[in-house]
C-alpha cells in the first residue's frame, strides 16, 4: 500500500460538521452485515445541546472504536474477542459464551447480545432467512470495520479507504463524506492528513483506550468550543431522552447481582472461618459446617451466572483466558475450592483447610476485580471498588458466623478474636463506602448512578456498617450466651449481611449505568451566541 511501510493501523475520521444525520451509514451497515432488526453496529445520535437562545444540533456517529488498548479484549474469558496486529478488534462467534463481560467493559456502548432471532416484519421472509446468522444468537456482536472487505482489498493490492469496494460500508456510503476510513500508520492516507491538518478529539481519551475513531469539529473561520455547564450539568445528564446519557446496562441483571452477593458472602465466610481455625482455634467440626454453608452459597451464585450466559453448552470455554480475564481466574479458584472441600469433608486435614481458605479468598478477590475491570460502567471502575467489594464480602462472612453463633448459642462458633476482627472490618468497610460515595463525582460517576448510590446509602451505612460496628463492640465486652451477647450477635450478623446485599445489588442493578457519550469539543454553530 502506498506510503505504508509498517503494519496498517485502521481507523476512521468523522467530521461532525459534515454529518447531516441521514442514517445512510446505519442502513448500509445493516445491509452489509445482515444485522437483525434490534441490532445496530453503526449508530448516529441526534444531539441537541444548550438552552435557548444558545442552542445547537449536531449528529454524532458512534460504534466500536477499535481501541489501541481495548478494554473488551483482556476481560473476555474465552478469547472470543481478540485484537489483530492491524488493531482491528474481532469476534469469534463460535467460542463466545455470551457472558456479556465485553459489553460492560466497553466505554462506547458498542456491544449487543441478541438472545433470540427477530424478524423485520414479525415473521421470517425468504430473504431474511437466506442471510440469517444463527451463530450470532446468544453471543456478543459488534462492528468489525467490515473486516472481510478490508482484508480482500489488502490482498488485491487496493487501498481500503480510497477504493470504496474495499472500504467499510458506512464510510463508502456516506453521502456527505463525513466518515473517512484509512490507515493511521500511513502518513499519506486521508485519515492521517485530516487529523494532521485539522483539530480533532478522541472520545473518552482520558480512559487510556486510544480509540481509533477521531472526530473533527472545526471548519475554517469557525473554531470549536468547549462544552458549557448548560451542556453537561446534572439535570442534562439525568435526562434519559438525551442520547448522550448512558442508559442502564442490561447485560448483567439480578442474576449477576445474585452471583456477586452470594459468591462474595460465601467466599468471605470460608476465608474468615479458615482464619479463625488457625488463629483462634475454631474447632474442625464447626469449620467444616461453615464450609458447607459457604459452598452452598457459592454454588447458588454460580448457578445464577450459568443462567446469565447466552450459550450455556459452551460454559467450559470460560477456562481459556487465565492470562488476563478475572472471570477465568475466578473459575480456576472454584476448580481448586470444590475438590478441596470434598476432600476435606471426607478426610479433614490442616493443609486442606489452608487451601480452602486461600482459594476462597482468591475467589472473593477475583469477583471484586471482575467488577473493577468493567470499564464501561463508571460506578464499577472506580479505584475503591475492588477494596470495597472485598471488605464487604469478608464482613458478610463474619456476619454469617455471628448469626450461626446466635442461632445455635455455641460459643465455639464465635472464636476468640472474631469480634475484634469484625469491628475492624465494619469500620474499614464503612470508611471505604463513605470514601466511594464522596469521590463518586470526581471518579466520573454520572448523576443517575450517584442518585442510586445515595438512595441506598442510609441502609448500607446504618444497617450494614454502623449497627454491626456497635454490636461488635458490645460483643467484645459482654458475657458469652448472655442476652445482650446473643442480641448483639444477631444485630451484627443480620446488619452485615443485609447491608452487603443492598450494597452489591445497588451497584450491579441500579448504579450500573453505561458510560455516557462525550463531546469534549463542539462545533461553533447554532443560534444565539453559539453562531457568532
Amino acid at each position: 500500500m502506498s506510503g505504508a511501510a509498517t503494519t496498517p493501523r485502521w481507523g476512521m475520521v468523522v467530521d461532525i460538521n459534515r454529518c447531516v444525520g441521514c442514517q445512510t451509514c446505519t442502513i448500509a451497515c445493516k445491509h452489509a452485515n445482515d444485522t437483525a432488526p434490534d441490532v445496530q453496529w453503526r449508530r448516529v445520535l441526534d444531539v441537541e445541546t444548550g438552552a435557548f437562545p444558545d442552542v445547537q444540533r449536531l449528529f454524532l456517529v458512534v460504534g466500536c472504536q477499535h481501541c489501541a488498548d481495548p478494554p473488551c479484549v483482556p476481560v473476555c474469558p474465552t478469547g472470543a474477542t481478540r485484537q489483530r496486529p492491524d488493531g482491528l478488534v474481532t469476534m469469534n462467534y463460535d467460542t463466545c459464551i455470551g457472558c456479556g463481560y465485553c459489553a460492560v467493559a466497553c466505554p462506547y456502548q458498542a456491544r449487543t447480545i441478541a438472545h433470540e432471532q427477530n424478524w423485520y416484519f414479525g415473521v421470517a421472509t425468504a430473504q431474511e432467512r437466506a442471510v440469517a446468522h444463527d451463530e450470532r444468537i446468544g453471543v456478543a456482536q459488534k462492528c468489525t470495520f467490515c473486516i472481510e472487505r478490508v482484508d480482500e482489498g489488502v490482498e488485491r493490492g487496493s487501498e481500503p479507504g480510497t477504493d470504496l469496494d474495499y472500504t467499510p460500508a458506512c464510510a463508502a456510503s456516506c453521502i456527505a463524506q463525513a466518515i473517512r476510513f484509512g490507515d493511521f500508520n500511513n502518513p499519506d492516507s486521508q485519515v492521517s492528513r485530516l487529523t494532521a491538518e485539522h483539530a480533532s478529539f478522541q472520545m473518552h481519551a482520558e480512559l487510556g483506550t486510544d480509540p481509533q475513531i477521531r472526530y473533527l469539529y472545526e471548519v475554517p473561520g469557525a473554531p470549536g468550543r468547549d462544552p458549557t455547564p448548560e451542556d453537561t450539568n446534572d439535570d442534562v445528564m439525568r435526562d434519559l431522552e438525551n442520547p448522550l446519557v448512558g442508559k442502564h446496562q442490561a447485560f448483567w441483571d439480578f442474576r449477576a447481582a445474585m452471583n456477586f452477593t452470594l459468591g462474595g458472602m460465601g467466599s468471605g465466610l470460608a476465608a474468615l472461618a479458615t482464619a479463625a481455625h488457625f488463629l483462634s482455634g475454631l474447632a474442625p467440626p464447626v469449620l467444616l459446617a461453615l464450609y458447607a454453608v459457604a459452598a452452598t452459597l457459592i454454588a447458588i451464585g454460580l448457578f445464577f451466572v450459568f443462567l446469565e450466559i447466552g450459550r450455556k453448552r459452551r460454559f467450559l470455554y470460560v477456562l481459556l483466558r487465565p492470562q488476563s480475564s478475572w472471570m477465568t481466574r475466578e473459575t480456576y479458584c472454584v476448580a481448586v475450592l470444590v475438590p478441596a472441600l470434598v476432600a476435606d469433608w471426607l478426610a479433614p486435614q490442616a493443609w486442606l483447610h489452608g487451601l480452602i481458605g486461600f482459594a476462597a479468598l482468591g475467589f472473593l478477590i477475583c469477583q471484586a476485580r471482575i467488577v473493577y475491570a468493567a470499564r464501561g460502567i463508571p460506578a464499577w471502575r472506580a479505584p475503591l471498588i475492588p477494596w470495597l467489594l472485598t471488605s464487604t464480602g469478608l464482613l458478610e462472612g463474619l456476619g454469617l458466623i455471628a448469626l450461626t453463633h446466635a442461632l445455635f448459642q455455641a460459643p465455639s462458633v464465635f472464636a476468640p478474636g472474631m469480634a475484634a476482627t469484625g469491628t475492624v472490618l465494619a469500620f474499614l468497610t464503612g470508611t471505604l463506602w463513605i470514601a466511594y460515595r464522596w469521590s463518586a463525582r470526581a471518579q466520573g460517576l454520572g448523576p443517575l448512578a450517584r442518585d442510586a448510590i445515595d438512595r441506598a446509602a442510609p441502609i448500607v451505612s446504618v444497617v450494614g456498617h454502623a449497627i454491626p460496628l456497635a454490636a461488635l463492640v458490645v460483643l467484645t465486652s459482654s458475657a458469652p450466651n448472655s442476652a445482650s451477647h446473643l442480641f448483639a450477635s444477631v444485630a451484627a450478623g443480620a446488619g452485615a449481611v443485609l447491608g452487603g446485599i443492598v450494597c452489591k445489588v445497588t451497584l450491579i442493578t441500579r448504579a450500573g449505568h453505561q458510560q455516557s457519550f462525550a463531546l469534549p469539543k463542539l462545533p461553533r454553530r447554532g443560534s444565539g451566541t453559539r453562531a457568532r
Side-chain angles (χ1 to χ4, degrees), residues 314-327:
R314 301 175 182 173
F315 74 96
L316 286 178
Y317 290 0
V318 75
L319 298 169
L320 298 178
R321 188 68 82 72
Q323 66 271 29
S324 65
S325 176
W326 286 100
M327 189 175 287

Side-chain angles (χ1 to χ4, degrees), residues 22 60 360 385 425 441 448:
C22 66
L60 184 67
I385 277 293
L425 276 174
R441 182 187 290 271
L448 291 170

Side-chain angles (χ1 to χ4, degrees), residues 78-92:
T78 71
T81 299
R82 293 185 179 274
Q83 186 178 37
R84 303 197 319 181
D86 59 7
L88 295 188
V89 178
T90 63
M91 272 301 306
N92 185 340

Side-chain angles (χ1 to χ4, degrees), residues 84 96 154 221 303 395 450 468 496 523:
R84 303 197 319 181
C96 179
V154 172
F303 175 71
L395 182 59
R450 298 200 308 271

Side-chain angles (χ1 to χ4, degrees), residues 32 39 50 57 105 116 148 167 190 197 252 283 295 298 325 437 460 470 523 525:
V39 175
R57 185 186 187 195
E116 58 184 19
E148 295 84 0
T167 296
Q190 278 192 94
E197 298 169 1
W252 287 1
I298 293 172
S325 176
R437 282 189 64 208
V460 176
R525 65 184 187 190

Side-chain angles (χ1 to χ4, degrees), residues 12 14 24-30 32-33 41-44 61-62 143 145-146 149 167-175 177-181 213:
M12 286 184 175
V14 175
T24 302
C25 58
T26 301
I27 299 304
C29 173
K30 294 188 75 67
N33 295 289
W41 292 357
R42 174 67 65 229
R43 289 190 288 158
V44 181
V61 178
V62 296
C143 157
F145 275 174
C146 292
R149 296 168 69 144
T167 296
C170 57
S173 65
C174 180
I175 64 171
Q177 294 188 316
I179 306 175
R180 308 293 183 93
F181 180 81
I213 293 183

Side-chain angles (χ1 to χ4, degrees), residues 77-153:
T78 71
T81 299
R82 293 185 179 274
Q83 186 178 37
R84 303 197 319 181
D86 59 7
L88 295 188
V89 178
T90 63
M91 272 301 306
N92 185 340
Y93 299 121
D94 295 328
T95 57
C96 179
I97 61 174
C99 66
Y101 202 178
C102 60
V104 294
C106 174
Y108 303 101
Q109 303 181 34
R111 297 281 179 142
T112 305
I113 299 179
H115 290 284
E116 58 184 19
Q117 177 69 62
N118 292 325
W119 309 102
Y120 281 94
F121 301 100
V123 295
T125 63
Q127 294 87 345
E128 285 182 273
R129 286 192 183 279
V131 297
H133 290 272
D134 294 339
E135 74 279 7
R136 295 180 188 168
I137 301 301
V139 300
Q141 50 179 296
K142 58 177 282 294
C143 157
T144 65
F145 275 174
C146 292
I147 197 168
E148 295 84 0
R149 296 168 69 144
V150 172
D151 287 348
E152 184 179 356

